[in-house]
Amino acid sequence: MFTISNPSLSAINSAAKSLIHGALVGIPTETVYGLAADAENEAAVARIYSVKGRPQDHPVIVHIGSVEYLNKWAINIPDYALKLAKEYWPGPMTLILGKSKIAMNFITGGQDTVGLRVPAHVTTLALLEEFHKLGGNGIAAPSANRFGAVSPTNAEAVQSELGEFLDQSRDLIIDGGQSLVGVESTIIDCTGEFPTILRPGAITEEMIAAITSLNVKVTKQPKIRVSGSLDQHYSPKAKILLNGNVSIGDGFIALDVLDTPQGAERLASPRTLEDFARTLYAALREGDKRGINRIVVIPPDGDGIAIAIRDRLARAAR
Ligand code: TXA
Ligand code: MG
């Protein structure tokens, strides 16, 4: 098997070496699992695209070990972006900034910006530290799912999404347990006067405003390409119905205060919004695994992470 669990420091070091040599590594993060490659290795990044079945012109996020690597990848960093980085990294937040020379077209999708994030997961931070020690500047990692499918939130889901497309003799998957947040990072465009949310996540509009003391904008239709902002995305095989009528045999996902309609198969009963985010993708996957054709989801009300949950559900339902 090529999944490694509870990796020792030496296993992490050898995974970092594999990345330097052009291999792909499935990595745990607090949001979702990523499929990683050396962000300066064009051939390795090209393999990410083919393993995911993703269009070539979509940009990928570069993951770095700490805010110190920001200047390697980005230029013209506004003050507010630096404040956000210092406050919320490591964490579920991606900053879009002007790109430096090392951010090549195969990372940026030909745009003049680059997306950067320091993920909050001990194993992946250790991997990044080892990778930086070996001279690497950053790890490109989109979510470790086939294009348009549900992001994986555990190592087993990475294996079932991508295992058959990976090269068992050199690629590997690191098992770092269940992702704690469960939905992808907040993407913030920091190239303008004001921060603009391109994709909602666990770092909310209020949290951004609190640190920057600026008006935060929220974009519905970003001008720059964000594959997570395509109308249909994050979809399981089952048809997702929001608030729909429940028929016998349908899957059902809702807060635990809501009872399961008669004849439905309960796939998740989260108690809190955080729980909802953490368990949603695994519950959708479970529905597919059981061969359920339709899953009815009751989207949670409220602010905070509920906004990200509703965003992903709306896209999954299209
Ligand atoms: O939580 C996350 O962000 C996860 C983990 C693995 O870090 N990654 C993730 O990557 O969700 P991905 O590729 O599935 O989604 C990242 C989004 C894409 O929609 C991509 O288009 C956008 O970020 N993106 C990356 N660089 C960009 C840029 N320069 N300008 C605009 N959007 C960018
Ligand atoms: Mg994705």
Side-chain angles (χ1 to χ4, degrees):
M1 279 313 291
F2 66 131
T3 298
I4 53 171
S5 303
N6 300 318
S8 62
L9 192 57
S10 86
I12 290 172
N13 176 269
S14 85
K17 280 187 185 138
S18 300
L19 282 168
I20 292 280
H21 292 130
L24 302 186
V25 179
I27 56 165
T29 88
E30 81 283 26
T31 57
V32 300
Y33 275 64
L35 180 64
D38 178 353
E40 293 176 282
N41 183 330
E42 183 165 12
V45 174
R47 281 191 60 227
I48 292 184
Y49 285 81
S50 68
V51 167
K52 276 182 64 83
R54 188 188 210 196
Q56 294 287 344
D57 59 347
H58 283 224
V60 285
I61 297 174
V62 177
H63 296 70
I64 51 180
S66 73
V67 68
E68 274 79 65
Y69 287 85
L70 202 49
N71 287 310
K72 289 251 183 214
W73 290 95
I75 55 166
N76 305 327
I77 302 167
D79 212 36
Y80 72 80
L82 211 51
K83 283 187 190 155
L84 287 170
K86 287 189 176 146
E87 182 70 22
Y88 295 126
W89 279 349
M93 177 182 77
T94 297
L95 301 181
I96 306 294
L97 292 158
K99 74 173 198 73
S100 75
K101 279 201 200 101
I102 65 168
M104 305 297 280
N105 281 335
F106 60 84
I107 289 297
T108 66
Q111 304 176 89
D112 53 11
T113 56
V114 62
L116 295 161
R117 174 164 120 80
V118 181
H121 190 290
V122 276
T123 305
T124 293
L125 283 172
L127 176 69
L128 279 161
E129 196 180 327
E130 292 300 301
F131 181 78
H132 286 319
K133 275 191 212 152
L134 295 168
N137 284 316
I139 290 177
S143 52
N145 49 278
R146 294 285 286 170
F147 183 64
V150 178
S151 300
T153 51
N154 56 52
E156 196 195 331
V158 179
Q159 166 68 39
S160 79
E161 277 281 325
L162 302 180
E164 64 186 293
F165 305 101
L166 292 171
D167 178 346
Q168 307 250 352
S169 66
R170 56 202 286 244
D171 302 332
L172 59 115
I173 298 170
I174 298 177
D175 184 352
Q178 186 69 33
S179 295
L180 289 179
V181 175
V183 294
E184 302 80 357
S185 62
T186 306
I187 300 182
I188 309 168
D189 179 359
C190 299
T191 60
E193 198 180 335
F194 299 100
T196 303
I197 298 177
L198 302 182
R199 178 176 73 181
I203 301 297
T204 62
E205 187 179 340
E206 292 69 30
M207 291 165 76
I208 300 166
I211 295 304
T212 62
S213 307
L214 293 171
N215 282 323
V216 180
K217 298 187 196 167
V218 181
T219 308
K220 287 259 149 59
Q221 285 297 331
K223 273 194 223 79
I224 30 188
R225 272 186 302 266
V226 185
S227 60
S229 74
L230 292 180
D231 269 4
Q232 202 204 354
H233 213 74
Y234 310 109
S235 298
K237 293 192 192 79
K239 188 171 167 52
I240 302 297
L241 299 171
L242 304 181
N243 295 309
N245 284 333
V246 183
S247 309
I248 299 212
D250 284 354
F252 187 73
I253 298 173
L255 284 167
D256 78 336
V257 289
L258 298 171
D259 289 335
T260 310
Q262 203 151 31
E265 278 195 52
R266 190 79 182 220
L267 294 170
S269 307
R271 295 223 184 99
T272 62
L273 295 176
E274 283 69 30
D275 239 16
F276 206 122
R278 188 161 39 237
T279 54
L280 175 63
Y281 289 162
L284 294 176
R285 262 173 212 289
E286 177 62 23
D288 281 350
K289 211 162 142 189
R290 294 194 203 168
I292 291 173
N293 292 321
R294 308 192 333 155
I295 301 173
V296 176
V297 189
I298 312 298
D301 290 331
D303 297 331
I305 193 96
I307 296 172
I309 296 169
R310 291 195 299 270
D311 169 75
R312 304 308 191 277
L313 283 174
R315 294 178 204 289
R318 291 235 171 90

Coordinates of all heavy atoms in Angstrom, one line a residue, residues 229-304:
S229 N -15.5 28.1 -8.2 CA -16.7 29.0 -8.4 C -17.4 28.6 -9.6 O -18.4 29.3 -10.0 CB -16.1 30.4 -8.4 OG -15.5 30.6 -9.7
L230 N -17.0 27.6 -10.3 CA -17.9 27.1 -11.4 C -19.2 26.8 -10.9 O -19.4 26.3 -9.7 CB -17.3 25.9 -12.1 CG -15.9 26.0 -12.8 CD1 -15.5 24.7 -13.3 CD2 -16.1 27.1 -13.9
D231 N -20.3 27.0 -11.7 CA -21.6 26.8 -11.2 C -21.8 25.4 -10.6 O -22.3 25.2 -9.5 CB -22.6 27.0 -12.3 CG -23.1 28.4 -12.3 OD1 -22.5 29.2 -11.4 OD2 -23.9 28.8 -13.1
Q232 N -21.4 24.4 -11.4 CA -21.5 23.0 -10.8 C -20.2 22.5 -10.4 O -19.2 22.5 -11.1 CB -22.1 22.1 -11.8 CG -22.7 20.9 -11.1 CD -22.9 19.7 -12.0 OE1 -22.6 19.7 -13.1 NE2 -23.3 18.6 -11.3
H233 N -20.1 22.1 -9.1 CA -18.8 21.7 -8.5 C -19.2 20.9 -7.3 O -20.3 21.0 -6.8 CB -18.0 22.9 -8.2 CG -16.5 22.6 -8.4 ND1 -15.9 22.5 -9.6 CD2 -15.5 22.5 -7.5 CE1 -14.6 22.3 -9.4 NE2 -14.3 22.3 -8.1
Y234 N -18.2 20.3 -6.7 CA -18.4 19.6 -5.4 C -19.6 18.6 -5.4 O -20.3 18.5 -4.5 CB -18.7 20.7 -4.3 CG -17.7 21.8 -4.2 CD1 -18.1 23.1 -4.7 CD2 -16.4 21.6 -3.8 CE1 -17.2 24.1 -4.6 CE2 -15.5 22.7 -3.7 CZ -15.9 23.9 -4.2 OH -15.0 25.0 -4.1
S235 N -19.8 17.9 -6.6 CA -20.9 17.1 -6.7 C -20.6 15.6 -6.5 O -19.7 15.1 -7.1 CB -21.5 17.2 -8.1 OG -21.9 18.5 -8.3
P236 N -21.4 14.9 -5.7 CA -21.4 13.5 -5.7 C -22.1 12.9 -6.9 O -22.6 13.6 -7.7 CB -22.1 13.2 -4.4 CG -23.1 14.2 -4.2 CD -22.5 15.5 -4.9
K237 N -22.1 11.6 -7.0 CA -22.9 10.9 -8.1 C -24.4 11.1 -7.9 O -25.1 11.3 -8.8 CB -22.5 9.4 -8.2 CG -21.1 9.2 -8.6 CD -20.9 7.7 -8.9 CE -19.4 7.4 -9.1 NZ -18.7 7.2 -7.7
A238 N -24.8 11.0 -6.6 CA -26.2 11.1 -6.3 C -26.7 12.6 -6.7 O -25.9 13.5 -6.7 CB -26.5 10.9 -4.8
K239 N -28.0 12.7 -7.0 CA -28.6 14.0 -7.2 C -28.8 14.6 -5.8 O -29.4 14.0 -4.9 CB -29.9 13.8 -8.0 CG -30.5 15.1 -8.4 CD -31.7 14.8 -9.4 CE -32.5 16.0 -9.6 NZ -31.7 17.2 -10.1
I240 N -28.4 15.9 -5.7 CA -28.6 16.6 -4.4 C -29.8 17.5 -4.5 O -30.0 18.3 -5.5 CB -27.4 17.5 -4.1 CG1 -26.1 16.7 -4.0 CG2 -27.6 18.2 -2.8 CD1 -26.1 15.6 -3.0
L241 N -30.7 17.3 -3.6 CA -31.9 18.2 -3.5 C -31.9 18.9 -2.2 O -31.7 18.4 -1.2 CB -33.2 17.3 -3.6 CG -33.4 16.4 -4.8 CD1 -34.5 15.4 -4.6 CD2 -33.6 17.3 -6.0
L242 N -32.1 20.3 -2.3 CA -32.1 21.1 -1.1 C -33.5 21.3 -0.7 O -34.3 21.8 -1.5 CB -31.4 22.4 -1.4 CG -29.9 22.2 -1.9 CD1 -29.3 23.6 -2.1 CD2 -29.1 21.4 -1.0
N243 N -33.8 21.0 0.5 CA -35.2 21.2 1.1 C -36.3 20.5 0.3 O -37.4 20.8 0.4 CB -35.5 22.7 1.1 CG -34.6 23.4 2.1 OD1 -34.5 23.0 3.2 ND2 -34.0 24.5 1.6
G244 N -35.9 19.5 -0.5 CA -36.9 18.8 -1.4 C -37.8 17.9 -0.6 O -37.6 17.6 0.6
N245 N -38.8 17.4 -1.3 CA -39.6 16.3 -0.7 C -38.8 15.0 -0.7 O -38.2 14.7 -1.6 CB -40.9 16.1 -1.6 CG -41.9 17.2 -1.4 OD1 -41.9 17.8 -0.3 ND2 -42.7 17.5 -2.4
V246 N -39.0 14.3 0.4 CA -38.2 13.1 0.6 C -39.0 11.9 0.2 O -40.1 11.7 0.7 CB -37.7 13.0 2.1 CG1 -36.8 11.8 2.3 CG2 -37.0 14.3 2.5
S247 N -38.4 11.1 -0.6 CA -39.1 9.8 -1.0 C -38.4 8.7 -0.3 O -37.3 8.8 0.2 CB -39.0 9.6 -2.5 OG -39.4 10.8 -3.2
I248 N -39.0 7.5 -0.4 CA -38.5 6.3 0.3 C -37.1 6.0 -0.4 O -37.0 6.0 -1.6 CB -39.5 5.1 0.1 CG1 -40.7 5.6 0.9 CG2 -38.9 3.8 0.6 CD1 -41.5 4.5 1.5
G249 N -36.1 5.7 0.4 CA -34.8 5.3 -0.1 C -33.9 6.5 -0.3 O -32.7 6.3 -0.6
D250 N -34.4 7.7 -0.2 CA -33.5 8.9 -0.4 C -32.5 9.0 0.8 O -32.9 8.6 1.9 CB -34.3 10.2 -0.4 CG -35.0 10.4 -1.7 OD1 -34.8 9.7 -2.6 OD2 -35.8 11.4 -1.8
G251 N -31.4 9.6 0.6 CA -30.5 9.9 1.7 C -30.9 11.2 2.3 O -31.6 12.0 1.6
F252 N -30.6 11.4 3.5 CA -31.0 12.6 4.2 C -29.9 13.1 5.1 O -29.3 12.4 5.9 CB -32.3 12.3 5.1 CG -32.9 13.5 5.7 CD1 -33.7 14.4 4.9 CD2 -32.8 13.7 7.1 CE1 -34.3 15.5 5.5 CE2 -33.4 14.8 7.7 CZ -34.2 15.7 6.9
I253 N -29.6 14.4 5.0 CA -28.6 15.1 5.8 C -29.2 16.4 6.4 O -29.7 17.2 5.6 CB -27.4 15.5 4.9 CG1 -26.7 14.2 4.4 CG2 -26.3 16.3 5.8 CD1 -25.6 14.5 3.4
A254 N -29.2 16.5 7.7 CA -29.7 17.7 8.3 C -29.2 17.8 9.7 O -28.7 16.8 10.3 CB -31.2 17.7 8.3
L255 N -29.3 19.0 10.3 CA -29.0 19.1 11.8 C -29.8 18.1 12.6 O -30.9 17.7 12.2 CB -29.3 20.5 12.2 CG -28.3 21.6 11.8 CD1 -28.9 23.0 12.0 CD2 -26.9 21.4 12.5
D256 N -29.2 17.7 13.7 CA -29.8 16.6 14.4 C -31.1 16.9 15.1 O -31.9 16.1 15.5 CB -28.8 16.0 15.5 CG -28.7 16.8 16.7 OD1 -29.0 18.0 16.7 OD2 -28.4 16.2 17.8
V257 N -31.4 18.2 15.2 CA -32.8 18.6 15.7 C -33.9 18.2 14.7 O -35.1 18.2 15.1 CB -32.8 20.1 16.0 CG1 -32.0 20.5 17.2 CG2 -32.4 21.0 14.8
L258 N -33.6 18.0 13.5 CA -34.6 17.6 12.5 C -34.7 16.1 12.4 O -33.7 15.4 12.3 CB -34.3 18.2 11.1 CG -34.2 19.7 11.1 CD1 -33.7 20.2 9.7 CD2 -35.6 20.3 11.3
D259 N -35.9 15.6 12.5 CA -36.1 14.2 12.4 C -35.9 13.6 11.0 O -36.1 14.3 10.1 CB -37.5 13.8 12.9 CG -37.7 14.0 14.4 OD1 -36.6 14.0 15.1 OD2 -38.8 14.3 14.8
T260 N -35.6 12.3 10.9 CA -35.5 11.7 9.6 C -36.8 11.4 9.1 O -37.6 10.8 9.7 CB -34.7 10.4 9.8 OG1 -33.5 10.6 10.5 CG2 -34.4 9.8 8.4
P261 N -37.1 11.9 7.9 CA -38.4 11.6 7.3 C -38.6 10.1 7.1 O -37.6 9.4 6.8 CB -38.4 12.3 5.9 CG -37.3 13.3 6.0 CD -36.3 12.7 7.0
Q262 N -39.8 9.6 7.1 CA -40.0 8.1 7.0 C -39.5 7.6 5.7 O -39.7 8.1 4.7 CB -41.5 7.9 7.1 CG -41.8 6.5 7.5 CD -43.1 6.4 8.3 OE1 -44.1 7.1 7.9 NE2 -43.2 5.5 9.2
G263 N -38.8 6.5 5.8 CA -38.3 5.8 4.7 C -36.9 6.3 4.2 O -36.3 5.8 3.2
A264 N -36.5 7.4 4.7 CA -35.2 8.0 4.3 C -34.0 7.4 5.0 O -34.2 6.8 6.1 CB -35.2 9.5 4.5
E265 N -32.8 7.4 4.4 CA -31.6 6.9 5.0 C -30.8 8.1 5.6 O -30.3 8.9 4.8 CB -30.8 6.1 4.0 CG -31.2 4.7 3.8 CD -30.2 3.9 3.1 OE1 -29.0 3.9 3.5 OE2 -30.5 3.3 2.1
R266 N -30.7 8.1 6.9 CA -30.0 9.3 7.5 C -28.5 9.1 7.2 O -27.9 8.1 7.5 CB -30.2 9.3 9.0 CG -29.7 10.5 9.7 CD -30.7 11.6 9.5 NE -30.3 12.9 10.1 CZ -31.2 13.7 10.6 NH1 -32.4 13.4 10.8 NH2 -30.8 14.9 11.1
L267 N -27.9 10.1 6.6 CA -26.4 10.0 6.3 C -25.6 10.9 7.3 O -24.4 10.6 7.4 CB -26.2 10.5 4.9 CG -26.8 9.6 3.8 CD1 -26.6 10.2 2.4 CD2 -26.1 8.2 3.8
A268 N -26.2 11.9 7.9 CA -25.5 12.6 8.9 C -26.5 13.4 9.8 O -27.5 13.8 9.3 CB -24.5 13.6 8.3
S269 N -26.1 13.6 11.0 CA -27.0 14.3 12.0 C -26.1 15.3 12.8 O -26.0 15.2 14.0 CB -27.6 13.4 13.0 OG -28.3 12.4 12.3
P270 N -25.4 16.2 12.1 CA -24.5 17.1 12.9 C -25.2 17.9 13.9 O -26.4 18.4 13.7 CB -23.9 18.0 11.8 CG -24.9 17.9 10.6 CD -25.5 16.6 10.7
R271 N -24.6 18.2 15.1 CA -25.2 18.9 16.1 C -24.9 20.4 16.0 O -25.7 21.2 16.5 CB -24.6 18.5 17.5 CG -24.9 17.1 17.8 CD -25.3 16.9 19.3 NE -25.4 15.5 19.6 CZ -24.5 14.8 20.1 NH1 -23.4 15.3 20.5 NH2 -24.7 13.5 20.3
T272 N -23.8 20.8 15.4 CA -23.4 22.2 15.3 C -23.1 22.5 13.8 O -23.0 21.6 13.0 CB -22.2 22.5 16.1 OG1 -21.1 21.7 15.6 CG2 -22.4 22.1 17.6
L273 N -23.0 23.8 13.5 CA -22.6 24.2 12.2 C -21.2 23.6 11.8 O -20.9 23.2 10.7 CB -22.6 25.7 12.0 CG -24.0 26.3 12.2 CD1 -23.8 27.9 12.1 CD2 -24.9 25.8 11.1
E274 N -20.3 23.7 12.8 CA -18.9 23.2 12.6 C -18.9 21.7 12.3 O -18.2 21.2 11.4 CB -18.0 23.4 13.9 CG -17.6 24.8 14.1 CD -18.7 25.8 14.4 OE1 -19.7 25.4 15.0 OE2 -18.6 27.0 14.0
D275 N -19.8 21.0 13.0 CA -20.0 19.5 12.8 C -20.5 19.3 11.4 O -20.2 18.3 10.7 CB -21.0 19.1 13.7 CG -20.5 18.0 14.6 OD1 -19.3 17.8 14.7 OD2 -21.4 17.3 15.3
F276 N -21.4 20.2 11.0 CA -22.1 20.0 9.6 C -21.0 20.1 8.6 O -20.9 19.3 7.7 CB -23.1 21.2 9.5 CG -24.2 20.8 8.5 CD1 -25.5 20.9 8.9 CD2 -23.9 20.5 7.2 CE1 -26.6 20.6 8.0 CE2 -24.9 20.2 6.3 CZ -26.3 20.3 6.7
A277 N -20.1 21.2 8.7 CA -19.0 21.4 7.7 C -18.1 20.2 7.7 O -17.7 19.7 6.7 CB -18.3 22.6 8.0
R278 N -17.7 19.7 8.9 CA -16.7 18.6 9.1 C -17.2 17.3 8.5 O -16.5 16.5 7.9 CB -16.4 18.5 10.6 CG -15.3 17.6 10.9 CD -14.8 17.8 12.3 NE -15.8 18.1 13.3 CZ -15.8 19.1 14.0 NH1 -14.9 20.1 13.9 NH2 -16.8 19.3 14.9
T279 N -18.5 17.0 8.5 CA -19.1 15.7 8.2 C -19.7 15.7 6.8 O -20.0 14.6 6.3 CB -20.1 15.2 9.2 OG1 -21.1 16.2 9.4 CG2 -19.4 15.0 10.5
L280 N -20.0 16.9 6.2 CA -20.8 16.9 5.0 C -20.3 16.1 3.8 O -21.0 15.3 3.3 CB -21.0 18.4 4.5 CG -21.7 18.6 3.2 CD1 -23.2 18.1 3.3 CD2 -21.7 20.1 2.8
Y281 N -19.0 16.3 3.5 CA -18.4 15.6 2.3 C -18.4 14.1 2.5 O -18.7 13.4 1.6 CB -17.1 16.2 2.0 CG -17.1 17.6 1.4 CD1 -15.9 18.4 1.4 CD2 -18.2 18.2 0.9 CE1 -15.9 19.6 0.8 CE2 -18.2 19.4 0.3 CZ -17.1 20.2 0.3 OH -17.1 21.4 -0.2
A282 N -18.0 13.7 3.7 CA -18.0 12.3 4.0 C -19.4 11.7 3.9 O -19.6 10.5 3.4 CB -17.4 12.0 5.4
A283 N -20.4 12.4 4.3 CA -21.8 11.9 4.3 C -22.2 11.8 2.8 O -22.9 10.8 2.4 CB -22.7 12.9 5.0
L284 N -21.9 12.8 2.0 CA -22.2 12.7 0.5 C -21.5 11.5 -0.1 O -22.1 10.7 -0.9 CB -21.8 14.0 -0.2 CG -22.5 15.2 0.2 CD1 -21.9 16.4 -0.5 CD2 -24.0 15.2 -0.1
R285 N -20.3 11.2 0.3 CA -19.5 10.1 -0.2 C -20.2 8.8 0.2 O -20.3 7.8 -0.5 CB -18.1 10.1 0.4 CG -17.1 10.6 -0.5 CD -15.8 10.7 0.1 NE -15.2 11.9 -0.5 CZ -14.8 11.9 -1.8 NH1 -14.8 10.8 -2.5 NH2 -14.3 13.0 -2.3
E286 N -20.6 8.8 1.5 CA -21.3 7.6 2.0 C -22.6 7.3 1.2 O -22.9 6.1 0.9 CB -21.6 7.8 3.5 CG -22.4 6.7 4.2 CD -21.6 5.4 4.3 OE1 -20.4 5.4 4.1 OE2 -22.3 4.3 4.4
G287 N -23.3 8.3 0.9 CA -24.5 8.1 0.0 C -24.1 7.4 -1.3 O -24.8 6.5 -1.7
D288 N -23.1 7.9 -1.9 CA -22.6 7.3 -3.2 C -22.2 5.8 -2.9 O -22.6 4.9 -3.7 CB -21.4 8.0 -3.8 CG -21.9 9.3 -4.5 OD1 -23.1 9.5 -4.7 OD2 -21.0 10.1 -4.9
K289 N -21.5 5.6 -1.8 CA -21.1 4.2 -1.5 C -22.2 3.3 -1.4 O -22.2 2.1 -1.8 CB -20.3 4.3 -0.2 CG -19.1 3.3 -0.1 CD -18.2 3.7 1.0 CE -17.7 2.6 1.8 NZ -16.9 3.1 3.0
R290 N -23.3 3.8 -0.8 CA -24.5 2.9 -0.6 C -25.4 2.9 -1.8 O -26.4 2.3 -1.8 CB -25.4 3.5 0.6 CG -24.7 3.4 1.9 CD -25.7 3.7 3.0 NE -25.1 4.1 4.2 CZ -25.8 4.6 5.3 NH1 -27.1 4.7 5.2 NH2 -25.2 5.0 6.3
G291 N -24.9 3.6 -2.9 CA -25.7 3.5 -4.1 C -27.0 4.3 -4.1 O -27.9 4.0 -4.9
I292 N -27.1 5.3 -3.2 CA -28.3 6.1 -3.1 C -28.4 7.0 -4.3 O -27.4 7.6 -4.7 CB -28.3 6.8 -1.8 CG1 -28.5 5.8 -0.6 CG2 -29.4 7.9 -1.7 CD1 -28.3 6.5 0.8
N293 N -29.6 7.2 -4.9 CA -29.7 8.0 -6.1 C -29.9 9.5 -5.8 O -29.5 10.3 -6.6 CB -30.8 7.5 -7.0 CG -30.4 6.2 -7.6 OD1 -29.3 5.9 -8.0 ND2 -31.4 5.3 -7.7
R294 N -30.6 9.8 -4.7 CA -31.0 11.1 -4.4 C -30.7 11.4 -2.9 O -31.0 10.6 -2.1 CB -32.5 11.4 -4.6 CG -33.0 11.0 -6.0 CD -34.3 11.5 -6.3 NE -35.2 11.8 -5.1 CZ -36.2 12.6 -5.0 NH1 -36.5 13.4 -6.1 NH2 -36.9 12.8 -3.9
I295 N -30.0 12.5 -2.7 CA -29.8 12.9 -1.2 C -30.5 14.2 -1.0 O -30.2 15.2 -1.7 CB -28.3 13.0 -1.0 CG1 -27.6 11.6 -1.3 CG2 -28.0 13.4 0.5 CD1 -26.0 11.7 -1.2
V296 N -31.3 14.3 0.0 CA -32.0 15.5 0.4 C -31.2 16.1 1.5 O -30.9 15.4 2.5 CB -33.5 15.3 0.8 CG1 -34.1 16.6 1.3 CG2 -34.3 14.7 -0.3
V297 N -30.8 17.4 1.3 CA -30.0 18.1 2.4 C -30.8 19.3 2.8 O -31.3 20.0 2.0 CB -28.6 18.5 1.9 CG1 -27.8 19.0 3.0 CG2 -27.9 17.4 1.2
I298 N -30.9 19.5 4.1 CA -31.6 20.7 4.7 C -30.4 21.6 5.0 O -29.7 21.4 6.0 CB -32.4 20.4 5.9 CG1 -33.4 19.2 5.7 CG2 -33.2 21.7 6.3 CD1 -34.4 19.4 4.5
P299 N -30.2 22.7 4.2 CA -29.0 23.6 4.5 C -29.2 24.3 5.8 O -30.4 24.7 6.1 CB -29.0 24.6 3.3 CG -29.9 24.0 2.3 CD -30.9 23.1 3.0
P300 N -28.2 24.5 6.6 CA -28.4 25.2 7.9 C -28.5 26.7 7.7 O -27.9 27.2 6.8 CB -27.1 24.8 8.6 CG -26.1 24.6 7.5 CD -26.8 24.0 6.4
D301 N -29.3 27.3 8.6 CA -29.4 28.8 8.6 C -28.2 29.3 9.3 O -27.4 28.6 9.9 CB -30.6 29.2 9.3 CG -31.9 28.9 8.6 OD1 -31.8 28.8 7.3 OD2 -32.9 28.6 9.3
G302 N -28.0 30.6 9.2 CA -27.0 31.3 10.0 C -25.8 31.8 9.3 O -25.7 31.7 8.1
D303 N -24.9 32.5 10.0 CA -23.7 33.1 9.5 C -22.5 32.1 9.7 O -22.7 31.0 9.9 CB -23.5 34.4 10.1 CG -24.6 35.4 9.8 OD1 -25.2 35.3 8.8 OD2 -24.8 36.3 10.7
G304 N -21.4 32.7 9.7 CA -20.1 32.0 9.9 C -20.0 30.9 8.9 O -20.2 31.1 7.7

